[in-house]
Amino acid sequence: MGFPLVEDAHSKERIEEYFKNSPFKIITDNNWKQALVPEGCIVIDNHNGTAPGIIMEKDGKSMILLPGPPNELIPMFHQDIFPYLNRLQPETIYSVMVKLCGVGESLVETEILDLIEAQENPTIATYAKTGEVHLRVTARASDEKEARKLVKPMLKELKKRFGSHIYATNEATTLEESIVALLKEKNLTLTTAESCTGGMLSARLTNVSGVSEVFKQGFVTYSNRAKRKLLDVKKNTLKTYGAVSEKTAKEMAKNGAFITGSDICVSITGLAGPDGGTETTPVGLVYIACAYQNELRIREFHFKGNRQKIRELSTVNALTLLRSCILEKETAGK
Amino acid sequence: MGFPLVEDAHSKERIEEYFKNSPFKIITDNNWKQALVPEGCIVIDNHNGTAPGIIMEKDGKSMILLPGPPNELIPMFHQDIFPYLNRLQPETIYSVMVKLCGVGESLVETEILDLIEAQENPTIATYAKTGEVHLRVTARASDEKEARKLVKPMLKELKKRFGSHIYATNEATTLEESIVALLKEKNLTLTTAESCTGGMLSARLTNVSGVSEVFKQGFVTYSNRAKRKLLDVKKNTLKTYGAVSEKTAKEMAKNGAFITGSDICVSITGLAGPDGGTETTPVGLVYIACAYQNELRIREFHFKGNRQKIRELSTVNALTLLRSCILEKETAGK
């Protein structure tokens, strides 16, 4: 390539810094190699690892080298590489991600078939996520302002068609973030009471920075004994209806809210499998309840898939139920 | 391609079955398209979605079509495509994944530099995972038996060098699975007490099918009040040392075990950020404690990375500490 390697002082410093605070404090020789870069290149800082990114430019062409681990690669791409590439092209591509929950992919596709068939600029692409559907609306124009103008009427149409199923029109916003924002806005506190998801719901909620304002505690009551002791589920309920039942889910949610003094408690109880299924309690049967002040909602699901998938679907559907409880309570109160 | 499309009765049945139990019970026309397959092809069942996989063979060449979602694609590849491809080639490739925890990637690489430099058959490849390092040892031979023979001495050498840092020599075994197996073997029960990870540790443990034998409950004590009320952490401890402190982590672990009557309790308290850092409690400072009967261990970490990364590193290091507590207690008891 004709670029001799030189040591980049800034990268070397960053590697030193990284290892100073790492649990494995030994810096081995192979680490220093990562500070060697082609002369004259653009060095991209890696905020989640030691190997910097490199952009080489020669004869009007660019070559970009990035580290492989996704948690290093993806932030570097968003922060530095995407803006760099954007500066290189004459046309602007602008896109908006419309994120939906509580509605299935094929139904979404059917609802927008006419829009997809007529699409030119902007275009619509559908992405099925676990328990969510994302629609990317993309326009091309000479500048961003022009592209935004093209996207606007399509966005309006989608909002008309899907209403409150849309939880965000921003790529970076997650379902849990939109819910935490909603809880903050309404000044509500939340508790979780999980059985088969074993903490996945609280883990997703606590992904959100600043969640501590609304989420104070959660219970993982995996055993029947824990359901009784931590959440006061009646012995008779567990005996007569079983741990995976509407009645148990309701008591978990109601008592969880009462015990902690939270405004809302969401509970999940189900059978994630792969073993333990019976005729009356098959693998994939999940009950999700939401106690919101004096209201109590319950949903029954029959999920398909492996253990992990059933747990993920339970978690996202618990978030969706929680969200609709908050939104509909508000509407009802008006 | 010269393959007319025909409706595959088996795929159609599977789609019907899938939707019968889906939360969105409406089957739209676009779903039936997924039952159309090229005539004479091999149809691969999709156990986690509706679109089947397809293998077409013509003129001694094969073409494989698979659905895109990773949770559909990956199981199909392992279960059907990999064995199919293996049958097509005259030579066998056999590999073993050696999975390590509690040791950094660059240290692992340095320790096996001589093996990597001398490698021919088998070869060694290093993969850095969050808080783990995986080494893939791969041999080529005329049949699997021969290839296994080639892998064996390398495996022995790696075991000699890394000892108990190796938690599995099986690609499919996760760290949490190896720990749940260890707990079952020793007949030990476990409780979790989490602050900054907010349920990620219990969620990882409950990924493991059959975990209910050893894991009965967990606490997510995000607020100081929850630490006091659910885990009896002293008011004075929180006031004097703060929620992110060695003292708080120790009380969480000790009291968590006492309250639930579990043999072991692992606690995590830290600052995942991005906000709230101070000079004395910087973002990334995490304390992990493990109370095992009358023993109490504590580790202090200074993690780098975003909120998600800090939480993931906390979780995997809690698993690693838990594992070494069980293993070393056993050695000490002998």
Side-chain angles (χ1 to χ4, degrees):
Chain A
M1 292 283 302
F3 291 98
L5 287 178
V6 291
E7 189 174 88
D8 182 46
H10 172 67
S11 294
K12 196 177 171 190
E13 223 171 76
R14 289 183 53 84
I15 293 170
E16 252 164 7
E17 180 65 20
Y18 184 88
F19 275 92
K20 212 163 61 190
N21 289 321
S22 133
F24 319 109
K25 286 175 203 281
I26 306 147
I27 312 188
T28 52
D29 281 348
N30 45 357
N31 288 120
W32 297 124
K33 273 193 204 159
Q34 301 189 319
L36 294 177
V37 305
E39 196 165 25
C41 74
I42 303 168
V43 175
I44 307 294
D45 280 355
N46 179 348
H47 295 282
N48 301 299
T50 52
I54 286 162
I55 301 178
M56 288 183 275
E57 293 173 330
K58 195 177 177 178
D59 305 332
K61 292 191 175 56
S62 301
M63 190 157 104
I64 302 173
L65 307 178
L66 294 174
N71 76 305
E72 302 180 19
L73 168 73
I74 295 167
M76 288 168 87
F77 183 83
H78 283 295
Q79 210 168 309
D80 296 292
I81 306 304
F82 187 75
Y84 171 81
L85 292 173
N86 236 343
R87 283 194 298 275
L88 293 185
Q89 62 171 7
E91 214 179 22
T92 294
I93 295 173
Y94 172 75
S95 78
V96 169
M97 193 66 111
V98 179
K99 298 173 123 182
L100 297 102
C101 63
V103 56
E105 186 198 5
S106 42
L107 190 63
V108 169
E109 275 189 354
T110 306
E111 286 276 330
I112 59 169
L113 210 60
D114 59 320
L115 299 176
I116 287 175
E117 273 170 5
Q119 70 181 6
E120 274 182 45
N121 189 15
T123 56
I124 309 181
T126 316
Y127 302 87
K129 305 280 169 183
T130 299
E132 299 185 21
V133 181
H134 298 178
L135 301 174
R136 186 188 289 282
V137 181
T138 307
R140 287 170 166 276
S142 57
D143 59 42
E144 191 178 310
K145 200 180 152 197
E146 210 50 47
R148 278 176 187 269
K149 239 191 244 171
L150 289 167
V151 163
K152 215 175 164 187
M154 181 65 88
L155 220 54
K156 203 175 155 190
E157 184 59 32
L158 292 175
K159 281 182 184 167
K160 203 175 98 190
R161 294 187 188 196
F162 296 109
S164 70
H165 285 299
I166 298 173
Y167 70 80
T169 52
N170 173 349
E171 179 137 26
T173 303
T174 61
L175 180 54
E176 53 268 32
E177 275 172 354
S178 81
I179 290 169
V180 169
L182 211 53
L183 289 165
K184 281 187 183 177
E185 187 194 314
K186 314 238 171 278
N187 206 16
L188 294 167
T189 55
L190 173 71
T191 291
T192 55
E194 302 178 62
S195 186
C196 65
T197 45
M200 283 174 87
L201 177 59
S202 60
R204 266 194 75 167
L205 287 162
T206 53
N207 278 341
V208 184
S209 168
V211 68
S212 57
E213 269 182 53
V214 294
F215 179 75
K216 314 285 181 189
Q217 65 224 297
F219 299 94
V220 178
T221 53
Y222 216 66
S223 66
N224 278 0
R225 190 164 174 268
K227 289 181 188 73
R228 286 211 317 273
K229 284 199 67 169
L230 302 181
L231 289 171
D232 274 345
V233 174
K234 284 192 206 107
K235 201 170 177 175
N236 192 43
T237 301
L238 292 166
K239 204 178 147 194
T240 313
Y241 302 94
V244 181
S245 66
E246 202 179 296
K247 196 106 173 61
T248 297
K250 280 184 176 174
E251 287 187 29
M252 285 169 72
K254 214 175 145 184
N255 301 354
F258 179 78
I259 290 164
T260 60
S262 300
D263 298 305
I264 309 176
C265 179
V266 181
S267 72
I268 304 173
T269 182
L271 193 64
D275 307 314
T278 65
E279 184 93 9
T280 49
T281 311
V283 169
L285 174 64
V286 177
Y287 293 92
I288 302 178
C290 182
Y292 183 164
Q293 289 158 3
N294 50 355
E295 269 182 44
L296 189 57
R297 291 203 201 185
I298 177 94
R299 286 195 71 182
E300 176 182 319
F301 294 91
H302 294 262
F303 295 124
K304 284 267 181 184
N306 59 18
R307 179 178 178 86
Q308 181 63 11
K309 185 79 181 171
I310 289 168
R311 282 156 44 91
E312 281 173 14
L313 283 166
S314 302
T315 303
V316 70
N317 278 286
L319 291 171
T320 302
L321 177 64
L322 167 60
R323 184 172 170 276
S324 71
C325 281
I326 305 170
L327 290 177
E328 285 164 34
K329 179 97 174 179
E330 180 202 28
T331 317
K334 268 183 186 161
Chain B
M1 295 283 301
F3 292 96
L5 287 178
V6 292
E7 188 172 271
D8 182 46
H10 172 68
S11 293
K12 196 178 170 190
E13 223 171 77
R14 289 183 52 85
I15 292 170
E16 251 163 7
E17 179 67 19
Y18 184 90
F19 275 93
K20 212 163 61 190
N21 289 321
S22 133
F24 319 109
K25 286 175 202 286
I26 306 145
I27 312 189
T28 52
D29 281 349
N30 45 357
N31 288 122
W32 298 124
K33 273 193 206 160
Q34 301 189 317
L36 295 178
V37 304
E39 197 166 25
C41 75
I42 304 167
V43 175
I44 307 293
D45 281 355
N46 179 346
H47 295 281
N48 301 300
T50 52
I54 287 162
I55 301 178
M56 288 184 275
E57 294 172 331
K58 195 176 177 179
D59 305 333
K61 291 191 176 54
S62 301
M63 189 156 105
I64 302 172
L65 306 177
L66 295 175
N71 76 306
E72 302 180 19
L73 168 74
I74 295 167
M76 288 169 87
F77 183 84
H78 283 296
Q79 210 166 310
D80 296 293
I81 306 305
F82 186 75
Y84 171 81
L85 292 174
N86 236 342
R87 283 194 297 274
L88 293 185
Q89 63 173 8
E91 216 180 22
T92 294
I93 295 173
Y94 172 76
S95 78
V96 169
M97 193 65 111
V98 179
K99 298 174 124 183
L100 298 101
C101 64
V103 57
E105 186 199 6
S106 42
L107 190 62
V108 169
E109 274 189 355
T110 305
E111 287 275 328
I112 59 169
L113 210 59
D114 58 322
L115 299 177
I116 287 176
E117 273 172 5
Q119 71 181 4
E120 274 183 45
N121 190 16
T123 56
I124 309 181
T126 317
Y127 303 88
K129 306 279 169 182
T130 300
E132 299 186 22
V133 181
H134 299 178
L135 301 173
R136 187 189 288 283
V137 181
T138 307
R140 288 170 165 276
S142 57
D143 61 41
E144 190 179 310
K145 201 180 150 195
E146 210 50 47
R148 278 176 188 268
K149 240 191 243 172
L150 288 167
V151 163
K152 214 175 164 187
M154 181 65 89
L155 219 54
K156 205 175 153 190
E157 184 59 33
L158 292 174
K159 282 182 183 167
K160 204 176 100 191
R161 294 189 187 193
F162 295 109
S164 70
H165 286 298
I166 298 173
Y167 71 81
T169 52
N170 173 348
E171 178 137 27
T173 304
T174 61
L175 180 54
E176 52 268 33
E177 275 172 353
S178 80
I179 290 169
V180 168
L182 211 53
L183 289 164
K184 281 188 184 177
E185 188 194 315
K186 314 238 172 275
N187 206 15
L188 294 168
T189 56
L190 173 72
T191 290
T192 55
E194 302 179 61
S195 186
C196 64
T197 45
M200 285 175 86
L201 177 59
S202 60
R204 267 194 76 169
L205 286 162
T206 53
N207 278 341
V208 184
S209 167
V211 68
S212 57
E213 271 181 53
V214 294
F215 179 75
K216 315 285 179 188
Q217 65 223 299
F219 299 94
V220 178
T221 53
Y222 216 66
S223 65
N224 277 1
R225 190 164 174 269
K227 289 182 188 73
R228 284 210 318 273
K229 284 199 66 168
L230 302 181
L231 289 172
D232 274 346
V233 174
K234 286 192 204 107
K235 202 172 177 174
N236 191 43
T237 300
L238 292 166
K239 205 178 146 196
T240 313
Y241 302 95
V244 181
S245 65
E246 201 179 298
K247 196 107 172 62
T248 298
K250 280 183 176 176
E251 286 187 29
M252 286 169 72
K254 213 175 147 185
N255 300 353
F258 179 77
I259 291 163
T260 61
S262 300
D263 297 305
I264 309 178
C265 179
V266 180
S267 73
I268 304 173
T269 182
L271 193 63
D275 308 313
T278 63
E279 185 95 7
T280 48
T281 312
V283 168
L285 175 64
V286 177
Y287 292 92
I288 302 177
C290 182
Y292 184 164
Q293 290 159 358
N294 51 355
E295 269 182 41
L296 190 56
R297 290 202 201 186
I298 178 93
R299 285 195 71 182
E300 177 182 320
F301 294 91
H302 295 262
F303 294 125
K304 284 268 179 182
N306 59 17
R307 179 177 177 86
Q308 181 65 13
K309 185 77 182 174
I310 289 168
R311 283 156 43 90
E312 281 173 14
L313 283 167
S314 302
T315 303
V316 70
N317 278 286
L319 290 171
T320 302
L321 177 64
L322 167 60
R323 184 172 170 275
S324 71
C325 282
I326 305 170
L327 290 176
E328 285 165 34
K329 179 97 173 175
E330 180 202 28
T331 317
K334 269 183 185 161

